[in-house]
Structure formats: structure tokens, C-alpha cells
Amino acid sequence: MVWVNAIIQGILIGGLYALFAAGLSLIFGIMRLVNIAHGDLIVVAAFIGLVVTSMLDLHPLASLIVVIPIMALLGYALQYCLLNQTMGNDILPPLLVTFGLSVILQNGLLEAFSADPQKLNAGVLETASLSMGSLNIGVLPLLMFIVALAVIAGLQWIFYYTALGRAFRATSDNAEIAQLMGLNKKHIFSMAMALSLAVVAIAGIFLGTRTSFDPAAGPARLIFGFEAVIIGGLGNLWGTLIGGIILGVAQGIGAQINPGWQQLAGHIAFLLVLAVRPTGLFPRVSH
Amino acid sequence: MSELLRCSDLSKSFGSVTVADSINFSVSDGEAVGIIGPNGAGKTSLFNLITGTLQPDSGKIHFQQADITRHSSAARCRSGIARSFQIPQPFAAMSVYENVLVAATHGARLPALKAQHQSIEALRKTGLLERANDTAGSLTLLERKRLELTRALASGPALLLLDEIAGGLTDKECQSLIETIQKIRSENVTIVWIEHIVHALLAVVDRLIVLDFGKVIADGEPNAVMASKEVQENYLGLAADA
Ligand SMILES: Nc1ncnc2c1ncn2[C@@H]1O[C@H](COP(=O)(O)OP(=O)(O)O)[C@@H](O)[C@H]1O
Ligand SMILES: [Mg+2]
């Protein structure tokens, strides 16, 4: 029974990893931008959540109403004013700029909030659980998983059924032609980053309610996100969710064997998938 | 008729290759102008300059009296310049309908419902309606050329630039394309058409421009231009191996 429990917890955590990964996947899919600062932006969102919850005396989940628009605006501005200037045929310059941004964000947070671990207080939600027989399912992880499902379904809908989604797909297919069809590439890229950081806001708030976080917590989240994206296959959001779940389950099983092996087991699962299927489990069919 | 497009002293070189050499011409509202010239003359480059995918080294481009020389491609499309490509470049993973819808939504800046109507109308006009739900990547070369035209139309152009759209068509297909283009013209769209198939061109245009080595070597009434000495020597002499 402990194993079944470990697997279920792993699946639910997979939802959080998918939330870490979805924005990363989106940005890479649309504009071939590898955002090294993605994990730090998740932590920034958690800190903004911390400020908002304490200033407005809001529940962390309610604070999303404020944190999502803040992060989306930040994303738009970041892409429009900074990253767009570095985008070209070479993927290296924007990657280096996001690497620099990562360092800046970590140090900025350290200055503003010190290195002390922080936590968002979700009250009773943190300990509430549903028991089914001998299984205990935490309400918070379950909620996280459901939100992850909803976010990915929502992104999928935007991508395939809205004008914005068509603009994303057209621009990612051939930016030059898309511009000749009246699309403003800079605006479209900025919208993509805004959407990515809106998802990052959700990821950050859930991260902060589930565990404690500090200014240096970003890079590990980036790694989990990358692993989920690559396990699932580039450019496939449902694949990213499966990737997150595989990562979560592997970590759960690893931790069950030996508490010190949690992270290691996740990395091993990642390497195994990479060795067997270098393009991930469900790569997008066309290019 | 008022002036729609004006190119003034437009020049562009790639290293030692001059693709536009002090080009001067203007196109009036409602006109249909043909452009001919040997391969490599700079015809496609001229379209690139007009649509903003190339920046001129010098010279100016005016559209509807406004200087658009520094405008982005997207802004030019929105102000009413659309083109079709010699080598079709559809968004291959998207459906034919979605391809057209992108142009109608962002090029013509229409709200959702109107964009859908305009897309379907454009697909009907070019005879691509029954392929609407197929992925653009699955189209034949011919259908891709028609998709180029459809997308351009869906963006609601005042000026339509067609680049060798009749190349590789059978006589019958060419005839139906001519009819489509005549119909588009009758709806008050100004057309500039690059084509090697001169008889197709002459069925539509009322003016002919000849380019060679990036220079305008003749510009005027089609029959007179075709009969002129420059064209007989420079173009028709090379047409055999074009
Ligand atoms: N981006 C470019 N870089 C370098 N040379 C180019 C470029 N585009 C076109 N050319 C050259 O410019 C000349 C004119 O090309 P183009 O305008 O395509 O001619 P046309 O359409 O009349 O056949 C050709 O010699 C071509 O190789
Ligand atoms: Mg050409």
C-alpha cells in the first residue's frame, strides 16, 4: 500500500512539474527561446505572492487574481523591451541573456527578501485530505493536479482554436511570411511570454504553498521543467503533462526506496527516456 | 485616377549584384501592370522591397501618398499591400482555412465573424473551398499557388502583387487563373503581376514594365513595349533560356 500511495503522490506532484514545464514548452515551441530564467521567474511569482498575501491579507490561491496579471505584464514587457532585441536566427544570444537575467533575479531577490526560506500559508488546505480506505490523498496536491490539467487544456485550446493561437502557430512556422500577413512578430512573441508567465504565476503560488522557497530555489525548478518537457517530447503540451507525471512518480518511488534518492530517481528516469527515445515520448508529428 | 504606389530612385545591391538600380515608376488606383524580365533581373527583389522584406539602400516607396519606406512588413500588409510568392510558402502544419484566416484576421484586421466570411469568400473565389480543411502541407504545387493568391486576397488588399503565379500551369488552368485575376481586378483591386507567360499577362494588364539588371528598360502600353527595340534585344533574346 505504501507503494500505491507513493505512486499516487508522484502523479499528483507531476501536475506541479507540468505547471513548471508548460510555460517553458510554450516559449520554446513558439519562438525557439530557451528561457534559463524560467525557474527564477517561478520563484519571483512565489515572492510576489508572499507580498500580495501579506499586504492584502489574501489566501494564496485568491492572490492569483493579482499575481497572474502582474506576471503576464512582466512577461510582455520582458519580451518586448529586452528579449525581442536578441532574437534572430541564432538561439544562443537570447539564451545567454536569460542566463544573465537568472543571475540578476536571484541576486535581486536575495537583496529584497534575504536568503531565509519563506512559505505561503494556505491554512487548512495544507493538511486537508481525502481518505479512501487506507489511501490518503491530500486536497492541495489533488487541487494542484486538477489545475495543471485545466491549464494544459486551456493552453491547448488557445493554441488550436483561437486567433491568438493561429498567430502563434503561423509565426512559429514562418515568421517572415506571418509578418507579410499582417502579424507583428514582436507583439506575438510578447503575448507568448505573457502567457508563459501567467502559467508561471500559478506554478509559483503552488510551489510556495507546497514547500518553502528561497531566492536560490529557481534552478532546480528549471531542471524539473526541462526534464518534463523533454520526457514528454518537444512541442506537445499533453506530453509535457505525462513527462511531469513520470518525473513525479520516479521521484516518489525513489524516495520510497531511500529518502535520499528522490531527486536522483527523477534524473535517472529522465536519462532512461532520453537514452531510449531521444526526441521524448510524444514529439509533435510535424517538424 | 489617383496614384496608389510610387517607387522613387529605388536602389538595392547584394555585394556586386545590383537588383534594383534607381527604379522609378508609379501605379495608379485600379491599374493592372505586368512586369517581365529575364531571370535574375530583380523582379522578385522589387516585390521584396515594396513589401518590406528587403530594405532599399536608397530611394523611397510611397503607398497611398504616405512614405512607407521604413514601415514594417506587417504595417504594409495592414495598410493594404498583399503578395503571393513565386515559391509558395504556406504555414504547412495549419489547415488551408487557418492559413487564410490568419491573413483575414491580422492582415485585414477583421473581427472573428467577418474574418471567417472573408476567408470563405476568398477560398471560393480561387476554387480552394473544398480543400479548406486539409493541411496546407498536403496541397499540390498548383493548389499551393492558389493558396498564395487566396491568402493575399483574404488580407483585403488595395494592391495585389503576384509573383509568377501562372508558372507550371496547363493552358486550361492558366485560363481559369486569368479569369480569377480579371474578376479580382473588376473588384477594384490594383494588380502588379510578374509573369514569364506573356500571353497570360497581356490578357489582364493594361501596362507593361520591363526590368533588366535591376533597371526599368521599358514602361508603357503592352503591345508597344513588346515591339520596342530594347525588349526585342534584351528580353526576347533571353526568353528562350529563361
Ligand atoms: N538575399 C539575397 N542575397 C544575395 N543575392 C540575392 C538575394 N536575393 C536575390 N539575390 C540575387 O539578386 C538577383 C535578382 O534576383 P530576383 O529578384 O529573385 O530575380 P527575378 O525574380 O527577376 O528572377 C539574382 O541574381 C539573385 O541571385
Ligand atoms: Mg523571381
Side-chain angles (χ1 to χ4, degrees), chain B residues 165-225:
Chain B
I165 194 165
L169 303 196
T170 65
D171 280 350
K172 196 162 153 264
E173 288 160 353
C174 191
Q175 194 51 45
S176 92
L177 180 73
I178 289 172
E179 278 159 27
T180 308
I181 295 173
Q182 279 167 336
K183 188 145 163 264
I184 293 165
R185 197 195 161 185
S186 72
E187 286 161 11
N188 224 356
V189 177
T190 305
I191 293 171
V192 178
W193 184 4
I194 296 172
E195 196 56 79
H196 276 304
I197 304 166
V198 177
H199 75 84
L201 213 47
L202 294 186
V204 176
V205 304
D206 34 34
R207 189 177 140 205
L208 203 56
I209 292 176
V210 186
L211 276 186
D212 198 12
F213 295 108
K215 270 201 177 72
V216 175
I217 60 165
D219 180 353
E221 196 278 319
N223 290 316
V225 165

Side-chain angles (χ1 to χ4, degrees), chain A residues 19-20 23-24 35 38-46 67 71 194-206:
Chain A
L19 283 176
F20 291 165
L24 205 57
N35 184 4
H38 190 79
D40 305 296
L41 287 162
I42 293 173
V43 177
V44 166
V67 182
M71 289 303 288
L195 192 58
S196 170
L197 291 208
V199 176
V200 158
I202 301 173
I205 296 298
F206 275 121

Side-chain angles (χ1 to χ4, degrees), chain A:
Chain A
M1 218 54 203
V2 287
W3 289 101
V4 177
N5 207 37
I7 288 172
I8 290 178
Q9 302 307 335
I11 292 175
L12 297 182
I13 281 301
L16 182 64
Y17 294 163
L19 283 176
F20 291 165
L24 205 57
S25 175
L26 197 71
I27 287 305
F28 184 79
I30 295 171
M31 48 186 165
R32 297 282 171 278
L33 171 72
V34 180
N35 184 4
I36 301 289
H38 190 79
D40 305 296
L41 287 162
I42 293 173
V43 177
V44 166
F47 274 105
I48 293 178
L50 189 69
V51 173
V52 169
T53 47
S54 59
M55 264 174 43
L56 304 179
D57 197 21
L58 281 175
H59 188 274
L61 294 185
S63 77
L64 279 172
I65 299 168
V66 185
V67 182
I68 289 177
I70 292 178
M71 289 303 288
L73 269 176
L74 188 72
Y76 193 97
L78 174 66
Q79 184 69 38
Y80 204 91
C81 304
L82 181 65
L83 296 175
N84 272 340
Q85 326 302 325
T86 69
M87 310 278 297
N89 292 326
D90 189 355
I91 70 165
L92 197 57
L95 187 145
L96 292 177
V97 170
T98 60
F99 181 73
L101 183 65
S102 158
V103 175
I104 293 170
L105 288 177
Q106 286 181 39
N107 285 294
L109 288 174
L110 198 59
E111 272 305 310
F113 296 97
S114 86
D116 296 341
Q118 307 284 352
K119 179 95 179 40
L120 298 177
N121 184 0
V124 287
L125 197 58
E126 286 179 27
T127 49
S129 70
L130 306 169
S131 51
M132 287 186 260
S134 56
L135 283 180
N136 248 330
I137 297 178
V139 170
L140 187 61
L142 185 63
L143 185 67
M144 233 154 49
F145 188 77
I146 292 169
V147 169
L149 281 182
V151 163
I152 287 182
L155 289 177
Q156 199 78 3
W157 178 77
I158 289 174
F159 214 62
Y160 287 102
Y161 296 99
T162 69
L164 182 63
R166 281 190 293 276
F168 285 156
R169 283 182 289 142
T171 308
S172 105
D173 183 315
N174 188 334
E176 192 177 310
I177 301 295
Q179 282 175 286
L180 285 164
M181 306 279 115
L183 282 163
N184 179 348
K185 181 171 92 175
K186 290 190 163 181
H187 170 69
I188 296 301
F189 281 0
S190 305
M191 288 300 285
M193 189 56 92
L195 192 58
S196 170
L197 291 208
V199 176
V200 158
I202 301 173
I205 296 298
F206 275 121
L207 170 75
T209 38
R210 201 185 86 86
T211 55
S212 59
F213 57 94
D214 60 69
R221 272 66 219 175
L222 175 70
I223 299 287
F224 293 159
F226 265 136
E227 290 183 343
V229 171
I230 291 167
I231 292 174
L234 284 176
N236 181 340
L237 282 172
W238 290 114
T240 299
L241 178 67
I242 307 280
I245 290 174
I246 289 175
L247 201 59
V249 169
Q251 289 186 354
I253 291 173
Q256 199 58 49
I257 296 169
N258 178 332
W261 288 0
Q262 181 181 0
Q263 306 239 338
L264 182 66
H267 298 323
I268 288 173
F270 164 69
L271 288 175
L272 278 179
V273 172
L274 209 54
V276 183
R277 300 273 305 247
T279 55
L281 296 178
F282 314 101
R284 197 168 54 175
V285 214
S286 63
H287 60 199

Side-chain angles (χ1 to χ4, degrees), chain B residues 14 17 19 38-46 54 86 164:
Chain B
F14 295 108
V17 183
V19 294
N39 279 329
K43 304 180 298 297
T44 299
S45 301
L46 178 61
L54 266 186
Q86 184 175 355
E164 302 204 18

